[in-house]
Amino acid sequence: RHAWIAVLRDGWRLAVVAEAGLGESFLPLRESLQRAEAPRCLRQILDSAEVRVFGEEIAACEDCPVCRLHCDGRTMAVRLGFDGELYGVMLASLPAGSEIDGENRSLFREAAEDISFALHGLQLEQERQRAEKDLRLDESRLEALLQLNQMSAATFQEITGFVLEEAVRLTESKIGYLAFMNADETELTMHAWSKTAMDQCQIIDRPI
């Protein structure tokens, strides 16, 4: 009949959600998860690794967008997790006239395990990419410091320009500038600005 899956981070903060068959009726639940406000019934799902059924193992919540959609005895729910990590929840509602039996529970559980394993793989890949990025950043920082130490004969403007461009690059910023403020904090004297800043901010009169 319909199904949805929500991947969460930092407790109940929504990372990704997908639904099929619900349309606009799913919006209240989406908004609730975006506010990191999970109804009691969803929290019950995380208390167990087993497939739960709304209206049976899961009691209805008052004024709950989830229960209003699912509490008819034909909706299964299960948490998504792998190796001690919780990733989210998945629900599937069977068509009218269908009954939840052992085979349905088993298939639903297998699907949840496959999805959980895939999410675990994505998490490991993201951690690997972050580690590689951190390593490259450390290498770039050392290279910049080495180049800076070799600029003993450079002018003040050359040094500030180099430092500014490297700071923008290493912090992955869009623009950057170096300026000094006067004593009464009414004026900024610009000494250097990144190439990207000049592309975006056309300054007519300088240095003020």
Side-chain angles (χ1 to χ4, degrees), residues 2-207:
H2 52 251
W4 61 269
I5 180 172
V7 178
L8 310 168
R9 65 165 62 99
D10 301 331
W12 282 97
R13 189 161 61 90
L14 185 64
V16 179
V17 64
E19 60 85 19
L22 288 168
E24 293 185 0
S25 60
F26 186 73
L27 291 179
L29 177 58
R30 181 194 294 267
E31 293 170 355
S32 177
L33 292 175
Q34 287 173 337
R35 296 191 302 269
E37 298 173 356
R40 179 170 50 88
C41 58
L42 286 187
R43 296 181 184 275
Q44 291 180 43
I45 299 171
L46 293 187
D47 291 338
S48 173
E50 301 302 319
V51 174
R52 315 290 293 276
V53 177
F54 276 84
E56 294 180 9
E57 291 95 343
I58 301 178
C61 307
E62 293 183 4
D63 300 324
C64 172
V66 179
C67 292
R68 289 200 301 271
L69 295 172
H70 302 306
C71 204
D72 56 5
R74 294 196 303 275
T75 299
M76 296 178 291
V78 67
R79 74 184 184 190
L80 300 173
F82 184 87
D83 197 24
E85 291 284 338
L86 292 177
Y87 298 119
V89 294
M90 182 172 70
L91 287 86
S93 182
L94 299 181
S98 303
E99 294 183 1
I100 296 176
D101 55 21
E103 182 178 3
N104 285 333
R105 285 176 181 259
S106 179
L107 289 172
F108 188 61
R109 179 64 193 166
E110 289 178 10
E113 290 173 349
D114 290 343
I115 293 173
S116 298
F117 183 73
L119 291 171
H120 178 68
L122 287 172
Q123 182 184 47
L124 293 179
E125 176 62 18
Q126 290 171 350
E127 291 173 354
R128 184 190 66 79
Q129 291 178 358
R130 281 195 295 267
E132 289 183 353
K133 182 178 180 180
D134 290 343
L135 180 60
R136 289 194 299 269
L137 179 62
D138 287 339
E139 292 173 348
S140 295
R141 188 182 295 116
L142 290 174
E143 291 174 359
L145 288 174
L146 178 61
Q147 292 181 56
L148 183 61
N149 287 331
Q150 296 173 344
M151 296 178 65
S152 57
T155 65
F156 174 78
Q157 195 66 35
E158 290 172 337
I159 291 175
T160 55
F162 171 79
V163 170
L164 184 58
E165 291 297 335
E166 287 300 298
V168 170
R169 181 178 68 87
L170 293 173
T171 59
E172 298 182 349
S173 299
K174 294 182 178 180
I175 63 172
Y177 64 86
L178 176 64
F180 291 105
M181 187 175 291
N182 65 351
D184 58 1
E185 300 183 355
T186 59
E187 293 180 348
L188 284 174
T189 301
M190 306 291 291
H191 286 273
W193 43 84
S194 63
K195 297 175 183 177
T196 52
M198 289 303 296
D199 293 337
Q200 299 181 47
C201 309
Q202 298 300 321
I203 303 173
I204 300 175
D205 298 321
R206 56 178 184 166

